[in-house]
Amino acid sequence: FPGSMAGRVQALAAAVDRDWDGDASAIWTKGNPDGPEVLRRLQALPGFGEQKAKIFLALLGKQRALTAPGWQETAGHYGKEGSYLSVADITDPESLAKVRASKQAAKAAAKTAKAAKAPAP
């Protein structure tokens, strides 16, 4: 795991260096992009699928004052004001507890839904 994670970090750093002249903030600032463009740029990074890119976009908007038009809508439910769904919403121990509770509730709901779909023995 440590070796594979190191490789992932190196690939990400190489992409930022190559594509953004070593300035990670250029991903969300260069050319004054809108929310959908920032999402596209994030998804182009190694290791950033749709969900991780949306969470990162929400983090930029909620905690780093990103002003790209449409960022909230583009981030989907992660961009919703007052939500506690991801790292984008964690600012203190209380919000961390709310995010953990939200994740536990989502897992329980998924488990219940799966059980409801299972064929009867």
Side-chain angles (χ1 to χ4, degrees), residues 24-98:
S25 68
I27 296 167
W28 56 90
T29 60
K30 188 174 182 179
N32 202 26
D34 62 8
E37 175 61 16
V38 174
L39 181 65
R40 186 195 66 71
R41 292 175 181 186
L42 290 169
Q43 287 180 295
L45 295 171
F48 276 72
E50 182 180 2
Q51 183 176 7
K52 187 183 291 185
K54 285 183 176 185
I55 290 169
F56 196 84
L57 179 59
L59 186 139
L60 290 170
K62 291 179 173 184
Q63 295 190 31
R64 306 304 303 162
L66 177 71
T67 58
W71 77 262
Q72 255 181 315
E73 298 81 10
T74 305
H77 64 281
Y78 297 110
K80 184 178 176 190
E81 187 77 27
S83 67
Y84 292 95
L85 303 173
S86 72
V87 68
D89 304 305
I90 299 171
T91 57
D92 56 25
E94 181 182 339
S95 58
L96 172 61
K98 289 179 180 180

